[in-house]
Amino acid sequence: MKIQSLRGMPDLFPEDLERWHIFESKLSKIFHSFNTSEIRTPLLESTELFSRSVGNSSDIVNKELYSFLDRNEESISLRPEGSASVIRAIVQKKQEQEKHKLWYQGPMFRYERPQKGRFRQFHQVGVEYLGFEEGIAEYELISMVLQINELIGISDYTIKINHLGDNLAKENFCNSLVSFLEPHVNELHEKDQARLNSNPLRVLDSKEQSTQALLEDGPKFQDFISDSSKIFLQNIVDTYSDHCDIQIDQSLVRGLDYYTGVVFETVSKKLGAQDAFLGGGRYDNLSKQLGGKDMHAVGFAIGVERIIELLNIENMKQPLKVGFIISGEQINKKTYKIADDLRSANNNIILDASLSNGSLKSQLRRANKNNCSFAIIIGDEELKNDQVIWKDLSESGEQELLTSKEVIEKYTKL
């Protein structure tokens, strides 16, 4: 029997990764422009890290963690999200009193039902602004979200935003929500009944229409947060309403327990029921929860599999590709020196060297299939005379004979 990949853990082939590479290269430029530096944390962490940060009552910890005992009988888990690991790393290095603008990327793991855009091994890119109190940091992160969407060609989206207040506001709201829903508990879906007992806030995030219908007349966060929080939230919406569709959504809570203050997510109707592809917010208490000192923190994470579905690859300038074809019988080190010199002269161009000994016709066919714009052809005669053939692979099919020096000059100017 053939060995298959694990359910929900897909292979990514070159044709799949073309979009990924474009996305990653665009994203790194944006992070650089915001003076944000990369951090890399381990895939495996102590299970306690996630039970203390994400929350024991969350679906992630209860049902979705990939956890097991190591040889020392200690429980360890594959990371289900990135923020807890970043905060753990900063606390471990005793850098809570410093300011950090960080980004990360990599695979995450959750044992959930695989569906469109959601897998058991999935990938996230995240941004964490640490040491910055509520204010300018939120504005900068929303600006970054707009830059990301614009640069990768996403136009049809909505930013939903809410304010959860401080711990006291959350506690008072949850008490009010429980009091409101308890008389209707039998009308709630079984999953929402469990949430009401363990984490009432998560009921707001229910996908059940019957629950949402009940919540329409329920308490609203706006009635529990301070006037300054309301003003701050409205100011953000007013600032960006001319740039994008941004709305206050009082049912928005996000799925992790550590959020306080502003929370937001970016959604697109093109993704169907699972419409969010970016989400985040403020979590000033997380450092203290993990044994560190008080540290302001706000950030967001992007679901790579989801945002890749929205990436407008057709409107992006693709890297130029040139085929390098050896058609003669005699191949020597001089042939490969030309290829090395070309790559050194302009590494923004893909030089697609044919490594087979097929006919000139078949190698040109391959270059066309690989979307090469030009081909550099070296046969026995060209090799002997220190020349190459430069061929335009567009409909014109024009070609010219160049010296090895001339072809490098031409290649450099592409």
Side-chain angles (χ1 to χ4, degrees):
M1 187 179 80
K2 293 181 180 178
I3 298 175
Q4 303 288 320
S5 64
L6 297 176
R7 187 179 181 220
M9 298 190 177
D11 300 303
L12 296 172
F13 285 86
E15 56 268 26
D16 305 316
L17 289 170
E18 181 181 8
R19 287 173 173 265
W20 289 63
H21 293 154
I22 294 172
F23 170 67
E24 288 166 354
S25 65
K26 298 283 185 183
L27 215 55
S28 65
K29 291 178 181 177
I30 293 174
F31 293 152
H32 180 73
S33 72
F34 280 82
N35 194 31
T36 305
S37 304
E38 186 180 10
I39 184 171
R40 298 187 182 187
T41 60
L43 294 181
L44 280 169
E45 298 273 11
S46 167
T47 301
E48 185 183 8
L49 173 65
F50 304 116
S51 62
R52 287 170 65 178
S53 61
V54 177
N56 280 315
S57 62
S58 69
D59 287 345
I60 292 176
V61 171
N62 279 334
K63 303 174 184 177
E64 298 172 3
L65 272 186
Y66 277 93
S67 299
F68 53 91
L69 298 177
D70 65 9
R71 292 184 178 182
N72 291 325
E73 297 295 308
E74 295 178 0
S75 180
I76 57 177
S77 299
L78 289 166
R79 62 185 184 190
E81 57 95 34
S83 295
S85 293
V86 172
I87 298 298
R88 190 269 311 147
I90 296 299
V91 169
Q92 184 172 332
K93 209 167 183 182
K94 298 180 180 179
Q95 293 183 345
E96 304 100 303
Q97 302 305 307
E98 302 175 23
K99 297 186 185 302
H100 309 270
K101 295 170 71 173
L102 303 170
W103 69 275
Y104 62 85
Q105 64 177 335
M108 310 291 165
F109 302 85
R110 295 183 190 175
Y111 190 86
E112 57 183 341
R113 183 173 65 86
Q115 52 192 295
K116 183 180 179 183
R118 174 174 275 182
F119 303 98
R120 289 179 173 176
Q121 176 177 313
F122 59 100
H123 297 76
Q124 283 186 348
V125 176
V127 176
E128 314 289 357
Y129 275 27
L130 309 178
F132 302 93
E133 62 186 25
E134 184 175 271
I136 298 298
E138 276 82 354
Y139 283 91
E140 179 150 316
L141 289 179
I142 297 293
S143 294
M144 188 183 290
V145 171
L146 298 184
Q147 290 281 323
I148 291 169
N149 289 341
E150 180 180 354
L151 198 59
I152 64 179
I154 299 175
S155 56
D156 184 16
Y157 66 90
T158 298
I159 297 177
K160 297 180 179 181
I161 188 166
N162 194 20
H163 202 295
L164 305 182
D166 56 19
N167 286 337
L168 181 60
K170 284 177 69 175
E171 182 181 348
N172 290 338
F173 174 80
C174 287
N175 290 336
S176 179
L177 183 64
V178 170
S179 297
F180 171 78
L181 288 176
E182 276 183 339
H184 308 281
V185 67
N186 292 330
E187 301 172 47
L188 295 174
H189 186 274
E190 183 180 344
K191 182 184 290 186
D192 292 330
Q193 291 179 11
R195 286 173 169 172
L196 189 63
N197 292 324
S198 61
N199 188 353
L201 209 59
R202 299 290 292 120
V203 177
L204 298 185
D205 203 30
S206 173
K207 304 303 180 187
E208 299 297 325
Q209 291 184 352
S210 58
T211 299
Q212 289 301 327
L214 279 173
L215 290 171
E216 287 182 7
D217 297 323
K220 308 298 181 189
F221 252 114
Q222 293 286 301
D223 298 329
F224 293 85
I225 62 177
S226 66
D227 289 341
S228 61
S229 294
K230 295 176 189 176
I231 293 170
F232 180 58
L233 189 65
Q234 189 60 52
N235 284 343
I236 292 177
V237 172
D238 292 343
T239 299
Y240 293 104
S241 58
D242 290 339
H243 299 82
C244 66
D245 180 17
I246 181 168
Q247 307 171 1
I248 295 175
D249 181 352
Q250 294 190 44
S251 67
L252 180 64
V253 294
R254 301 293 301 151
L256 306 177
D257 286 1
Y258 52 61
Y259 284 115
T260 56
V262 169
V263 291
F264 58 91
E265 67 180 24
T266 309
V267 301
S268 171
K269 293 179 181 178
K270 293 182 180 180
L271 292 173
Q274 299 290 338
D275 57 358
F277 62 89
L278 180 154
R282 181 162 286 277
Y283 46 98
D284 288 346
N285 300 321
L286 185 53
S287 175
K288 198 75 172 286
Q289 287 175 227
L290 299 180
K293 299 176 182 177
D294 285 323
M295 179 174 65
H296 296 293
V298 61
F300 65 80
I302 301 169
V304 178
E305 282 82 357
R306 293 189 188 178
I307 203 170
I308 289 296
E309 292 184 40
L310 301 173
L311 193 150
N312 193 342
I313 196 171
E314 290 78 14
N315 292 343
M316 294 185 178
K317 185 178 179 182
Q318 303 298 307
L320 192 65
K321 191 180 291 186
V322 175
F324 189 79
I325 298 172
I326 302 168
S327 67
E329 296 294 331
Q330 298 180 20
I331 301 173
N332 64 18
K333 61 183 180 181
K334 187 176 181 181
T335 309
Y336 292 101
K337 186 179 186 307
I338 294 173
D340 288 337
D341 290 343
L342 289 169
R343 290 189 174 106
S344 297
N346 192 341
N347 59 15
N348 291 319
I349 298 173
I350 298 173
L351 188 66
D352 183 26
S354 176
L355 304 179
S356 64
N357 293 321
S359 66
L360 175 59
K361 186 177 180 179
S362 67
Q363 292 190 70
L364 283 170
R365 193 183 304 120
R366 177 185 177 277
N368 274 300
K369 183 180 178 182
N370 288 346
N371 298 316
C372 293
S373 300
F374 304 95
I376 296 169
I377 305 168
I378 304 177
D380 292 333
E381 195 66 25
E382 289 78 32
L383 189 60
K384 185 168 61 178
N385 296 321
D386 193 28
Q387 294 176 317
V388 303
I389 297 172
W390 179 277
K391 184 176 179 62
D392 190 330
L393 295 181
S394 66
E395 290 183 6
S396 72
E398 294 179 358
Q399 62 183 52
E400 55 184 318
L401 202 60
L402 303 174
T403 65
S404 56
K405 183 178 180 180
E406 289 171 337
V407 75
I408 290 173
E409 291 175 356
K410 190 177 186 75
Y411 191 84
T412 304
K413 295 176 181 177
L414 286 177

